[in-house]
Amino acid sequence: MVYWAVLVAHSNEPTFEFEWLHTKKIQVSSIANVSSRIFFLTPKESKERNPRENSATPTTDPSGSTLPSPDMQSPVLVLKDSLTRESGSKVHHANIQASKAVADIIRTTLGPRSMLKMLLDAQGGIVVTNDGNAILRELDIAHPAAKSMIELSRTQDEEVGDGTTSVIVLAGEMLHVAEAFIDKKYHPTVICRAYNKALEDALAVLDKISMTIDVNDRSMMLGLVKSCIGTKFTSQFGDLIADLALDATTIVGVDIGHGLREVDIKKYIKVEKIPGGQLEDSKVLKGVMFSKDVVVPGKMRRKIVNPRVILLDCPLEYKKGENQTNAELVREEDWAVLLKMEEEYIENLCVQILKFKPDLVITEKGLSDLACHYFSKAGVSAIRRLRKTDNNRIAKACGAVIVNRPDELQESDVGTGAGLFEVKKIGDEFFAYIVDCKEPKACTVLLRGASKDLLNEVERNLQDAMSVARNILKHPKLVPGGGATELTVSATLKQKSSSIEGIEKWPYEAAAVAFEAIPRTLAQNCGVNVIRTMTALQGKHANGENAWTGIDGNSGEIADMKELKIWDAYNVKAQTFKTAIEASCMLLRIDDIVSGIKKRQAPGASQPSKPTIEQEGEVDNEQMIPE
């Protein structure tokens, strides 16, 4: 129970007024000689005595400053001052705005009439590209939602290698159409449920309109790879990149049974960029090349036909002590014995290798001068300090096995699959070629071009083309390109939305409309009348018919994609839809952003020292620094 304390004073002297917590005014003489009594009143009594009751109007003390009312509680602080927290629809709007901003950066890089972006990095280097992932990878972004959008494009690039721009544009559009529902106070979970339903139906439509192809039909495969990289910068060089990509992926493909093929692009396809020459000089080698020369150029052969290759993973030099080794020699002859032992050890190694009559010995580690002497005497060429990855590729190309110890060598470890070993000089550098292999399972793509920037862009395009070729070898299914797939999906979802009951119907319909972002962007980048083109296309796709009608990316006209051979790989499209919708659902379900969280320090770690601020008095007594 709350009691009011009332101060009553007895005095006949001149008085002044005093007010105490809403009770009636009482007369008090000078504070020093007040004889006072304190009564405690129950709440009931205090109400009778104080008609104003404990209303929330603040009272003033004698100095005029405001006192809080007794019922006003002080705020409870949970988060530290350094933390900032945003929640509710404010966060949703911020996330949607950030995602739209990211999508707008790369919107113009979609389609064959796409623009290029020039990015300058901190070191002053230049990147000129229209590859969505390459652009976003270079950007330094602060907003957390925008960062997760960039992750999308990276995931898409790693998974399927193509569609990095489409996935960002689609995710941005999905969030954009959701904004209206957030404003109408729809719960994000409802929107996400509708989106997931739309995703399931979209994938069902993809299955329906896809067509299976024969991976051995080269012209069909070429057309497909060409249409996938037709949006890239190198499309002006015709079939060149598509040819290179197809050849490379066909070489390294490995049958793993059940009609499936495994293609490992990262491990077994090396792209070697050499500035100079023309782009038309680029080729896929039936084997490997690497920038090394033989150890002793004058004495070792630089051209060997049908070489026997031995690959080693051990040093051909005398074993050094693990740490400092001290040997105390008493007699002078002991020194000669020590040296002789070293020489015999190396000679022993070389004899074990030369027993197999190799023409070429390649090791990842060092090769001593003495070993070089023995090899050159036997007419064997040697290469040292080769990268592990290159060594693995050579093993795959010529059928050799990498051996760790020379005494374990067997005849089956010697590679005999190579047709030619040759060292050539390109520009200022020497390159060793191991080519004309019988059944290579690794290869090198040699790229020539005018400048480094051009070569970098060609390499990026080639990576995409190889990924597409790999995808088709894995899943030989096609869907129409040129925005036709998205329009068919959109039309089918619009029809289905009428059968959906409840509140989820509207977000489902909005998702259907969002799919049209891809053909719309294509039309925008072609420079045609967007509204007229989109209306005509929607009319053709109205009942989910004419699945192959889309936009010709070069002219902006409505055309049949089958005739123009504009196709997309099925799993690129499926991955694009999945990634875009799942990411937009994730961003919509964020309703709180807490920032300013510090990293936890290890116990006992000293706090970072605060910067000291110089006081005014200390400025003058600064020590002079001698010159």
Side-chain angles (χ1 to χ4, degrees), residues 49-357:
R49 299 204 176 203
N50 181 14
R52 275 187 296 175
E53 202 203 339
N54 43 5
S55 64
T57 48
T59 24
T60 51
D61 64 5
S63 64
S65 62
T66 310
L67 291 169
S69 95
D71 271 11
M72 279 175 76
Q73 290 181 353
S74 60
V76 180
L77 293 174
V78 179
L79 297 175
K80 281 188 174 180
D81 290 347
S82 60
L83 295 180
T84 52
R85 180 183 170 199
E86 290 178 358
S87 54
S89 63
K90 194 175 175 187
V91 171
H92 288 132
H93 286 302
N95 286 349
I96 291 169
Q97 289 301 328
S99 309
K100 273 160 64 180
V102 173
D104 286 340
I105 294 172
I106 59 169
R107 195 180 292 277
T108 55
T109 65
L110 188 73
R113 288 265 176 241
S114 58
M115 299 288 154
L116 291 170
K117 305 277 181 196
M118 183 184 272
L119 307 163
L120 306 176
D121 61 18
Q123 286 80 36
I126 301 171
V127 178
V128 180
T129 181
N130 66 354
D131 181 80
N133 180 45
I135 294 165
L136 295 177
R137 197 175 53 206
E138 298 289 333
L139 297 182
D140 194 8
I141 282 181
H143 198 282
K147 275 184 185 161
S148 66
M149 285 287 279
I150 288 173
E151 281 296 307
L152 288 194
S153 126
R154 197 172 63 85
T155 310
Q156 182 80 1
D157 198 50
E158 282 173 7
E159 286 294 320
V160 290
D162 195 28
T164 49
T165 309
S166 316
V167 73
I168 300 283
V169 171
L170 193 57
E173 192 67 22
M174 286 284 171
L175 288 164
H176 173 61
V177 294
E179 193 166 19
F181 299 110
I182 299 275
D183 287 341
K184 289 177 186 164
K185 301 285 184 283
Y186 271 58
H187 197 282
T189 317
V190 174
I191 303 172
C192 293
R193 251 203 322 265
Y195 273 13
N196 285 326
K197 206 177 274 179
L199 174 59
E200 281 171 29
D201 294 342
L203 293 175
V205 174
L206 274 186
D207 280 330
K208 204 170 82 182
I209 63 171
S210 64
M211 58 182 260
T212 311
I213 60 157
D214 175 21
V215 290
N216 298 322
D217 181 357
R218 189 174 171 89
S219 61
M220 188 87 162
M221 294 281 286
L222 256 181
L224 181 58
V225 177
K226 257 182 76 177
S227 69
C228 286
I229 59 158
T231 62
K232 304 277 188 265
F233 172 70
T234 46
S235 58
Q236 64 202 46
F237 301 112
D239 300 353
L240 177 73
I241 298 293
D243 268 331
L244 293 178
L246 257 184
D247 289 343
T249 43
T250 315
I251 287 173
V252 300
V254 181
D255 280 319
I256 51 172
H258 310 296
L260 294 173
R261 279 176 79 78
E262 182 61 46
V263 183
D264 194 332
I265 293 176
K266 267 200 174 86
K267 254 189 187 169
Y268 300 128
I269 299 180
K270 169 86 184 292
V271 180
E272 195 74 60
K273 300 172 292 190
I274 306 173
Q278 293 178 322
L279 199 61
E280 284 73 34
D281 301 340
S282 304
K283 56 179 180 282
V284 175
L285 303 174
K286 280 192 81 176
V288 287
M289 71 173 282
F290 43 92
S291 61
K292 286 273 179 212
D293 192 4
V294 289
V295 184
V296 190
K299 294 179 182 174
M300 292 180 175
R301 290 179 290 169
R302 275 190 169 161
K303 185 172 183 180
I304 306 169
V305 181
N306 294 331
R308 286 168 62 83
V309 184
I310 287 183
L311 302 177
L312 298 173
D313 183 15
C314 58
L316 294 179
E317 50 195 1
Y318 191 72
K319 260 201 182 123
K320 299 180 180 69
E322 287 294 323
N323 40 27
Q324 202 169 357
T325 312
N326 293 327
E328 196 171 317
L329 302 175
V330 183
R331 295 179 306 157
E332 193 181 337
E333 298 87 66
D334 290 353
W335 175 240
V337 172
L338 195 71
L339 290 178
K340 197 159 179 30
M341 281 166 67
E342 286 192 8
E343 285 179 11
E344 277 170 4
Y345 173 75
I346 291 170
E347 187 179 2
N348 207 3
L349 288 180
C350 293
V351 167
Q352 284 169 345
I353 293 166
L354 293 171
K355 214 165 44 181
F356 292 93
K357 296 193 170 53

